[in-house]
Amino acid sequence: MYPRPGFVLRRRLELGPPPTHRPLQGQGDAAGRPPADPGGPGLHCIAGTDPAEQSGPPPEACGAYDAVNANAQRSFAPGAMQGAALRGDATELRELLGRFPDSKDDGISDGATPLHAAAWKGHAEVIGLLLESGASPNSRKDDGATPIFHAPARMGSVGTCEVLLRARADANLCRGDGVSPLLMAAQQGHLKVVDCLLRGGADPNLQSKSGSTPLRAAAKHAAVKRALREAGAAEPEAEAGPRRGGEPGGGRRGPPHPAPAPFGGLMAGSARHGGGGSR
């Protein structure tokens, strides 16, 4: 379960310095602890004890301790949510979302949110729980990747792709290098995910900053190339400048392509998965 860092903090103050920081020979008890309670001053300070009363033991409990504990737990909440999402632990994640609802879209390390983690592992129940709680399906990592890049585009999970698109995930939000989810899925040869993204409005002519397109990326996958061409994919004009993926207007695109087919059943369940999510 979720650790209680506030309790850990209080125990650290009570116990004082680690065992490696021994007092000088002849001081302290057999265990090497100083004669005075080293945690006392710190706890007295937190509790706001009157200086004249700080010679005694610190309070066992007070509102200031509760505030410190709450702040410490809140600081650990994003990491705890990330761990629960990676493990697929819906019970723990539900508890954390109840206690720290504002941390649902917080990223750690590379900016990955709990939804990125759940999508990467393909934990359907956890993905649904996060979306129902209002987690954004378009949250972005430091490199610009959204959750749909993970299990759907990279790993080929069409089920996760459908769930995210129902929640209004934007199929045309690209990474910082302009690579789109469709380009990645096409490169990996994930035909069902390519079809799903196209039905969800993915632009088959969106190019990366290097000028690559889904059609070029699918060079080794005949069925994927056929699906892209049927959706209107075409090689762009060579003299035009590259279009930055995920941003409207300007840049290079191929010839106009037909509007994607209605999303049908995929969009019907959007209300069950938290609507649009914040962006």
Side-chain angles (χ1 to χ4, degrees):
M1 285 298 292
Y2 178 59
R4 302 186 184 279
F7 172 77
V8 174
L9 171 64
R10 190 173 193 282
R11 290 298 296 160
R12 181 70 268 155
L13 288 170
E14 289 173 343
L15 293 174
T20 53
H21 297 161
R22 300 292 186 188
L24 296 176
Q25 186 175 5
Q27 296 181 353
D29 58 18
R33 301 179 191 273
D37 178 4
L43 292 174
H44 278 307
C45 181
I46 292 172
T49 307
D50 188 286
E53 301 176 2
Q54 290 189 9
S55 58
E60 285 297 319
C62 68
Y65 290 168
D66 294 340
V68 170
N69 290 348
N71 287 333
Q73 290 182 342
R74 192 175 299 111
S75 70
F76 279 83
M81 286 187 184
Q82 186 88 358
L86 284 170
R87 296 191 302 275
D89 191 336
T91 300
E92 180 174 351
L93 185 60
R94 187 176 289 106
E95 177 188 346
L96 289 164
L97 288 168
R99 296 173 64 191
F100 309 103
D102 294 338
S103 295
K104 59 183 176 293
D105 284 326
D106 287 350
I108 61 172
S109 60
D110 62 351
T113 67
L115 189 56
H116 281 94
W120 179 41
K121 291 293 186 178
H123 295 311
E125 182 181 5
V126 169
I127 292 170
L129 177 61
L130 285 164
L131 292 173
E132 288 167 7
S133 75
S136 172
N138 295 312
S139 56
R140 307 184 83 160
K141 293 169 55 180
D142 293 346
D143 65 0
T146 60
I148 210 166
F149 272 88
H150 291 275
R154 185 182 298 276
M155 308 303 290
S157 174
V158 68
T160 303
C161 185
E162 291 172 349
V163 169
L164 291 170
L165 288 171
R166 285 191 194 114
R168 298 294 195 268
D170 188 337
N172 291 315
L173 281 181
C174 302
R175 296 185 322 205
D177 57 3
V179 170
S180 68
L182 183 61
L183 190 154
M184 177 176 285
Q187 187 175 47
Q188 299 295 326
H190 298 316
L191 177 60
K192 291 183 178 180
V193 173
V194 166
D195 286 337
C196 183
L197 289 168
L198 289 170
R199 287 184 286 123
D203 184 348
N205 292 309
L206 198 61
Q207 297 175 60
S208 69
K209 288 184 176 180
S210 67
S212 183
T213 64
L215 191 59
R216 288 175 180 172
K220 298 181 180 179
H221 307 289
V224 172
K225 290 173 65 177
R226 183 163 54 251
L228 290 168
R229 288 196 174 103
E230 289 174 357
E235 292 300 335
E237 297 178 6
E239 65 274 12
R243 176 192 180 194
R244 184 171 182 173
E247 295 186 359
R252 181 174 64 193
R253 303 180 72 173
H257 64 282
F263 211 43
L266 292 183
M267 301 306 295
S270 61
R272 299 196 304 274
H273 296 277
S278 61
R279 294 195 181 183

